[in-house]
Amino acid sequence: MLPPPKAASLLSLLLLTVPHSTLAAVLGLDAGQQNIKATLVKPGIPLEIVLTKDSKRKEAAAVAFKPTLSSDRKSILTGAGQFPERAYGPDALALQGRMPGEVFAGLKPLLGAELQEEGKDWVMDGYKAQYPAVQVEQVNELGTTVFKSTAFEDSEVPWSVEELMAMEFASIKTNAETMAGKGSGVEDVVLTIPPFYTAMEKRSLLRAADLAGLNVMGLVSDGLAVGLDYAKTRTFPDVSKDGKPEHHLVLDMGAGATTATLLRFQGKTVKDIGRFNKTVQEVTVLSTGWDRTLGGDALNEIIVKDYVHKFLTKPVMKSRGIQADEIEKNGRIMSRLWKEAEKSRLTLSANTETISSFEELLPEIDFKTKLSRTEFEKLTEDFAARVAVPINVALAMSKMDYKDLDSVILHGGLIRTPFIQRKLEALVKDPQKLKSNVNADESAVFGAALKAAALSPSFKVKEIRDSDVAGYASGMYFPDGDREKRQGLFTPQSSVGHGAVTKAVSFKHKEDFEFHLYQQIGSADQGIATISTKNLTESVKALKEKFGCEATDVSTKFEARLSPLDGLPEIVSAAVSCNTSQVIPKAGSIGDSVKDFLGFGKRKDQEPLVDGEAAEPGPTEDVEASSTTSSSTSGSATPSASKVPEKPKKRIETINIAFTVTSRGLPQPSAEETQRMKTRLAAFDASDRARLAREEALNVLEAYTYY
């Protein structure tokens, strides 16, 4: 790899391309299970971390409702249209000791979570174990998880996890607008997501962002975001000049999960404007692996269980007959134990032992215990063996080995744990390959902001062409007589973004029908959408009557791709066509008249316009819906150099097919329900502003009184 420019500042990476008055800021947002980080890109503010109101570089992922108390402070005042005070980040967590049921933290795993069999729902069971005082329930009929708060009257509709996440996003948005300056709005955002996110989880996250007033320009996986940050000041070997690509694996170990992302970095010479060429950098995700439950919180839980076990061995606990269940269901006690467990785990990363002390953990009962690093590593030895699994999966999918890696890029707070570092050194066999050359806490959010700037028309950035992978296999199924046929479309390693393949799927259907898109999660298929044609029957009839097409010559074709926004399969166009031997006048063809009559406009009006369409589209692959075979053709084919006069008696007549898309899977809120949530959140915001204005007025009055 060529050395990065020593004097290159980030200002040189972000050059304005439109007048200053029309520019808008963009945001990169990394919403983790424990913390939320954001990076702002604005003229004069290139890639700057958004600070919290306490000038911290990250915000705890928590929101709390502080109930309004009566004058004697013995009861909670509630009423229609009345909202309590809200707290965010550390202010919210500080309330866990007094009102643990009103603090909503660590919400990320609940996004898009489906109700499972009781006792086997690791998401909900894990959340209730960590926050036993929170009134939380999954409602499959609503397609979401809801929370009940005592700060509101009983008749108040429970708050969905998307609404609570929207509050956290809106708080970050407010901080970003404050940083951007007076009159600056921040709406466009790129969000980071784990590579294992399913369609339901992505939709839930996008809904939360929409409720917060954010326009999501794209989703980027954590590993790819780190790769973009790694590439922003580096130049890689040019494969067009026989350079060898670099392969790096990003290992991201955070609070909730561990992911491994195998990336290829290379330079490439491509055609520029006119007769000139240019060199661009390419960052390509080859494969991914993950462990959804191997994270900092899982290790914290081990320490919490050790605390509970040691606490119950105290003679006073035995004499009172207190059982573990009484401790584990006490929200105040568990909030203190989890907080101390996090502190102890971090301490053991730098020290060989730590001492935890709790004053009156129970009335008149103190608790003090010591935990050594050796004891901690013995408690977590099963977790050490799991570190290699995501890495091995990512390498195996791309048929590579550790020796093929140029480096392993370390990201995430858990990566600092000593036994994990030793495990990684044993895996790669060459400690020099373990690199800490990116900011382990902020690299992902910087990469998200860089992608946001690249997607925005307001900025010109270093050209880095990136592509992700689908993560899960996907396909379609449809009725065929009395049977149901299935057709795979994309594999877990299918590209998303630059160079992505478009699948042209041919059907034998000549009448209106519907088919379904699905995503394969493990051994089960999860429905994504239902596609229903609206005018196929009418269009086939028009082709027969106007052009004499035979039924056997009519072709029905749909084009499918992985969406550049969220990586889910989508139908981008559909058409029915046939070969006709009629002579078609050059001006005002009959075909145009038929299409205009059916509401599709003339030929020039039918050319698809795709937002952000690449100058070099990816290949198109033909798929026969009744067959598993397919063939690839170039998506950028050009006419032959020797032009042959077109025969007037043979041409293809095409009519676009209108279709509707209906979401499948977890129920999605209706337009009316979405508007209700937005209205309630807006009323909550107005209540906060009124409270702050009142408090400020009281402060001014008090200052005037004592002046």
Side-chain angles (χ1 to χ4, degrees):
M1 181 185 69
L2 300 179
K6 296 182 179 180
S9 68
L10 292 178
L11 283 172
S12 64
L13 298 176
L14 302 171
L15 305 176
L16 308 185
T17 61
V18 295
H20 185 279
S21 60
T22 63
L23 288 175
V26 295
L27 199 64
L29 192 60
D30 181 17
Q33 183 167 318
Q34 189 176 65
N35 296 294
I36 300 178
K37 296 175 282 289
T39 298
L40 180 69
V41 181
K42 181 182 180 291
I45 307 178
L47 295 179
E48 187 71 25
I49 285 287
V50 176
L51 301 179
T52 69
K53 66 182 185 64
D54 300 321
S55 299
K56 303 295 184 182
R57 295 178 69 86
K58 59 185 178 183
E59 183 80 282
V63 59
F65 299 155
K66 191 175 180 181
T68 304
L69 301 178
S70 60
S71 56
D72 59 3
R73 307 187 68 81
K74 293 184 179 180
S75 60
I76 298 175
L77 299 178
T78 61
Q82 183 174 335
F83 297 94
E85 181 181 352
R86 277 186 295 192
Y88 297 96
D91 293 340
L93 296 179
L95 297 173
Q96 283 184 320
R98 291 188 291 133
M99 46 187 72
E102 300 301 321
V103 181
F104 312 104
L107 300 171
K108 186 177 180 179
L110 300 177
L111 291 172
E114 294 187 74
L115 182 63
Q116 304 293 332
E117 184 180 345
E118 186 175 355
K120 296 183 180 180
D121 190 346
W122 63 268
V123 175
M124 184 56 69
D125 293 344
Y127 191 85
K128 289 181 176 179
Q130 188 169 354
Y131 307 103
V134 176
Q135 300 180 60
V136 57
E137 180 185 4
Q138 284 179 304
V139 184
N140 263 15
E141 293 76 13
L142 299 178
T144 188
T145 302
V146 298
F147 296 79
K148 190 74 175 176
S149 170
T150 59
F152 297 88
E153 57 184 2
D154 293 338
S155 60
E156 182 74 19
V157 177
W159 295 86
S160 68
V161 63
E162 291 85 4
E163 289 177 288
L164 296 179
M165 285 289 290
M167 294 179 190
E168 297 179 16
F169 288 166
S171 176
I172 296 295
K173 179 175 180 287
T174 299
N175 293 338
E177 290 174 340
T178 301
M179 184 175 177
K182 187 176 180 180
S184 297
V186 179
E187 295 182 354
D188 295 336
V189 64
V190 167
L191 295 167
T192 64
I193 58 169
F196 53 74
Y197 254 24
T198 64
M200 300 303 105
E201 290 168 307
K202 291 177 180 179
R203 286 175 179 172
S204 185
L205 181 65
L206 290 171
R207 185 157 67 248
D210 177 61
L211 292 174
L214 294 171
N215 172 47
V216 179
M217 305 167 69
L219 302 177
V220 58
S221 67
D222 295 320
L224 178 57
V226 173
L228 291 173
D229 180 52
Y230 180 80
K232 74 173 183 284
T233 56
R234 291 174 167 85
T235 301
F236 302 98
D238 191 336
V239 294
S240 305
K241 302 176 182 177
D242 298 327
K244 181 182 178 182
E246 296 183 13
H247 294 92
H248 302 268
L249 186 137
V250 174
L251 182 63
D252 186 10
M253 304 188 73
T258 293
T259 63
T261 305
L262 181 59
L263 297 161
R264 182 182 66 221
F265 297 83
Q266 65 184 28
K268 189 175 183 181
T269 301
V270 298
K271 184 175 177 57
D272 200 1
I273 299 174
R275 295 178 295 174
F276 299 97
N277 293 332
K278 63 178 179 180
T279 300
V280 300
Q281 305 304 306
E282 293 186 343
V283 181
T284 304
V285 176
L286 300 180
S287 53
T288 58
W290 58 75
D291 186 331
R292 277 178 172 260
T293 60
L294 179 57
D297 280 349
L299 300 187
N300 293 344
E301 185 179 12
I302 296 295
I303 299 177
V304 169
K305 289 181 178 179
D306 183 63
Y307 284 160
V308 173
H309 172 72
K310 291 178 179 177
F311 188 41
L312 292 173
T313 59
K314 291 176 64 71
V316 65
M317 297 292 288
K318 292 182 178 180
S319 64
R320 293 189 182 184
I322 298 176
Q323 302 297 316
D325 189 60
E326 299 177 54
I327 303 295
E328 293 170 349
K329 290 187 177 180
N330 188 310
R332 290 183 175 86
I333 294 177
M334 293 304 289
S335 66
R336 293 180 65 183
L337 293 178
W338 276 88
K339 182 178 180 180
E340 185 64 25
E342 170 79 9
K343 180 181 176 182
S344 296
R345 180 176 63 82
L346 296 178
T347 301
L348 290 174
S349 295
N351 300 280
T352 57
E353 67 177 29
T354 180
I355 296 177
S356 300
S357 181
F358 304 88
E359 184 177 350
E360 287 209 18
L361 192 58
L362 284 176
E364 301 180 357
I365 301 180
D366 298 338
F367 176 52
K368 186 176 182 179
T369 185
K370 182 174 70 173
L371 181 65
S372 67
R373 182 186 291 177
T374 302
E375 184 181 2
F376 171 63
E377 292 180 353
K378 185 176 181 180
L379 291 171
T380 58
E381 58 185 359
D382 292 340
F383 289 85
R386 292 165 57 185
V387 173
V389 176
I391 303 175
N392 291 338
V393 169
L395 291 173
M397 290 183 71
S398 295
K399 299 180 181 179
M400 295 180 66
D401 200 353
Y402 288 95
K403 66 178 184 298
D404 301 315
L405 296 176
D406 290 279
S407 76
V408 176
I409 302 173
L410 306 178
H411 188 263
L414 191 61
I415 213 74
R416 302 182 181 95
T417 308
F419 77 81
I420 290 177
Q421 292 180 344
R422 293 198 301 271
K423 181 66 176 180
L424 292 175
E425 290 175 359
L427 286 173
V428 300
K429 297 182 176 59
D430 181 5
Q432 298 299 319
K433 285 190 175 183
L434 298 178
K435 300 293 184 181
S436 299
N437 44 10
V438 298
N439 187 316
D441 295 317
E442 300 174 353
S443 182
V445 73
F446 278 128
L450 187 66
K451 185 172 180 66
L455 292 173
S456 172
S458 299
F459 303 93
K460 181 179 179 181
V461 302
K462 174 182 177 180
E463 187 169 358
I464 302 176
R465 297 181 176 180
D466 63 274
S467 66
D468 212 327
V469 292
Y472 297 99
S474 58
M476 62 171 62
Y477 61 92
F478 52 92
D480 185 21
D482 297 332
R483 298 181 300 169
E484 180 183 90
K485 287 195 173 182
R486 308 180 75 82
Q487 174 65 53
L489 292 177
F490 303 101
T491 70
Q493 291 178 271
S494 292
S495 295
V496 179
H498 178 72
V501 173
T502 298
K503 298 293 182 83
V505 187
S506 297
F507 288 88
K508 295 181 179 179
H509 295 73
K510 305 298 186 294
E511 297 180 349
D512 285 311
F513 73 108
E514 67 178 25
F515 61 91
H516 312 283
L517 299 176
Y518 69 87
Q519 190 177 55
Q520 189 173 359
I521 312 297
S523 59
D525 292 342
Q526 185 180 76
I528 297 177
T530 295
I531 312 299
S532 303
T533 64
K534 308 302 293 183
N535 67 326
L536 177 58
T537 303
E538 186 178 2
S539 299
V540 171
K541 181 180 178 182
L543 289 175
K544 291 180 179 179
E545 293 179 352
K546 300 298 181 181
F547 307 105
C549 296
E550 297 292 336
T552 54
D553 296 330
V554 175
S555 172
T556 304
K557 186 170 292 189
F558 289 77
E559 288 197 342
R561 69 172 183 179
L562 293 172
S563 169
L565 170 64
D566 55 21
L568 299 177
E570 64 176 0
I571 302 299
V572 294
S573 65
V576 60
S577 63
C578 75
N579 290 329
T580 176
S581 58
Q582 291 189 16
V583 178
I584 307 299
K586 292 185 178 180
S589 70
I590 299 176
D592 283 339
S593 301
V594 173
K595 288 176 243 177
D596 193 41
F597 172 77
L598 294 176
F600 297 108
K602 296 181 172 57
R603 180 174 300 279
K604 64 179 181 180
D605 300 322
Q606 298 178 51
E607 296 178 0
L609 298 176
V610 182
D611 291 338
E613 188 175 10
E616 297 180 11
T620 299
E621 185 173 312
D622 293 326
V623 178
E624 184 67 38
S626 59
S627 172
T628 58
T629 61
S630 61
S631 59
S632 296
T633 59
S634 173
S636 56
T638 57
S640 172
S642 57
K643 296 183 179 180
V644 179
E646 188 176 344
K647 296 181 179 180
K649 293 184 179 181
K650 197 75 171 179
R651 64 172 293 170
I652 298 177
E653 192 63 38
T654 302
I655 299 177
N656 284 355
I657 299 174
F659 58 89
T660 59
V661 181
T662 306
S663 296
R664 291 175 62 85
L666 289 176
Q668 301 299 303
S670 63
E672 293 76 13
E673 176 64 11
T674 300
Q675 185 57 48
R676 182 197 65 79
M677 290 189 285
K678 289 183 177 181
T679 300
R680 183 165 68 160
L681 288 170
F684 213 146
D685 293 339
S687 175
D688 285 346
R689 290 192 296 269
R691 181 179 293 105
L692 291 174
R694 184 169 59 253
E695 292 175 354
E696 185 177 351
L698 290 174
N699 289 337
V700 172
L701 178 61
E702 184 178 9
Y704 177 78
T705 303
Y706 287 98
Y707 179 69

